[in-house]
Amino acid sequence: MVPGFSPVVLALDFDGVLCDGRPEYFEAARRAYRETWPAAREVPDAVAAVFGAHRPLVESGWEMPVLLHAVVAGETVAGLVDRTAWLATARRLLGAGGLAPETLGQALNGVRDAWFARDPDDWIRHNVFYPGVVARLLDVLASGTPVAVITTKAERFARALLASQDARLGALPIVGREPGRVIPKPESLARLAAAHRLQAGAEGLWFVEDLLETLDAVHATPSLAAARLFLAGWGYNTLEQRASVGWRRHVRLLSLGAWTAPFAAWPA
Ligand SMILES: [Mg+2]
């Protein structure tokens, strides 16, 4: 392998990079919303598309039932225009409902756990791997390049989804949580770089992620300053965020077509 043209280790986010979890988020959020919201409104199936389109606004689980409520209650476009506006909207709606974020977060986790326990195959079917992703991952593994999944998703869920595609994917290392704690992604990546004995700056580490703020945080970490960072253009991000990659020297926009191409063809 030619140094610089392929990764020493490839790190991949899970949701919005490997797998589109929006059908699952929608259904879990709908059930949690029905369970917790006072006088919850009817949520027709057709709301899934609007909910999915607003997915880039959401960072934490508790926000998803609130987002559903915002959509069915007819919240204005201005209240959902960006992350700042959304958080203000979400807090206002929560206050009006007399709810705490923890209540909704716990309801969402409870719904998901119960669903997975009762019918794991149905739960898995509500998560869709992006086209070509699995075949390309298997090629990368066959070529001997180490791959790690960096995600704040609960490991058992990520592993069940990977294993549903292929046993080799089910055996991938998954980094992102430890008992009682979600590990910030820069810390997970620093651990990965150390485990692969990368030099200072983590040159040779390539990371594909769909959240721009996360890539900025990784770049701002001195021990990761030389890692190559890619924004997954097919993931949960907006046109504005994808366009803003143009004036960030440390991030490249990766298309789904480029992701399935050899590493040498990835944007430099
Ligand atoms: Mg993601």
Side-chain angles (χ1 to χ4, degrees):
M1 259 181 252
V2 185
F5 290 98
S6 62
V8 176
V9 55
L10 178 65
L12 303 166
D13 176 31
F14 188 82
D15 282 299
V17 170
L18 299 179
C19 187
D20 184 356
R22 286 176 298 178
E24 191 270 352
Y25 295 133
F26 173 72
E27 188 51 40
R30 177 157 68 171
R31 295 178 192 184
Y33 173 64
R34 280 190 196 130
E35 267 184 20
T36 53
W37 208 276
R41 294 166 190 249
E42 186 57 34
V43 182
D45 290 344
V47 170
V50 185
F51 179 79
H54 286 107
R55 178 61 183 81
L57 293 173
V58 169
E59 282 180 17
S60 300
W62 67 265
E63 298 170 45
M64 294 187 195
V66 190
L67 178 59
L68 264 194
H69 179 71
V71 172
V72 294
E75 192 58 44
T76 61
V77 171
L80 300 167
V81 73
D82 59 20
R83 176 79 187 151
T84 308
W86 161 241
L87 274 182
T89 301
R91 298 210 174 275
R92 173 168 52 75
L93 294 174
L94 268 186
L99 290 160
E102 297 72 34
T103 310
L104 292 173
Q106 285 163 10
L108 189 77
N109 288 339
V111 159
R112 181 171 283 151
D113 288 345
W115 184 4
F116 186 72
R118 192 179 58 250
D119 193 347
D121 291 340
D122 183 61
W123 184 85
I124 284 169
R125 274 195 301 276
H126 280 74
N127 294 271
V128 184
F129 281 79
Y130 291 100
V133 156
V134 168
R136 173 65 175 137
L137 255 184
L138 291 172
D139 283 350
V140 171
L141 288 173
S143 76
T145 300
V147 174
V149 176
I150 308 293
T151 181
T152 56
K153 195 180 194 74
E155 180 180 334
R156 67 195 181 99
F157 290 134
R159 195 168 297 290
L161 291 168
L162 289 163
S164 76
Q165 299 298 310
D166 191 283
R168 287 164 288 179
L169 301 190
L172 285 175
I174 298 174
V175 188
R177 286 192 181 206
E178 54 193 14
R181 177 170 175 257
V182 171
I183 308 169
K185 288 194 178 178
E187 188 181 331
S188 293
L189 290 167
R191 289 185 191 185
L192 184 67
H196 286 271
R197 302 172 187 276
L198 301 184
Q199 300 299 307
E203 188 170 358
L205 172 65
W206 293 22
F207 178 44
V208 185
E209 157 73 49
D210 67 325
L211 197 62
L212 197 52
E213 292 82 355
T214 301
L215 292 173
D216 287 343
V218 171
H219 181 68
T221 305
S223 65
L224 300 170
R228 282 184 64 178
L229 307 178
F230 300 92
L231 182 73
W234 59 92
Y236 313 145
N237 43 54
T238 63
L239 189 62
E240 288 77 10
Q241 288 160 348
R242 293 193 287 278
S244 79
V245 166
W247 56 86
R248 277 174 169 78
R249 292 189 51 179
H250 58 276
V251 179
R252 292 290 171 267
L253 181 63
L254 192 67
S255 68
L256 195 52
W259 148 259
T260 52
F263 289 122
W266 284 29

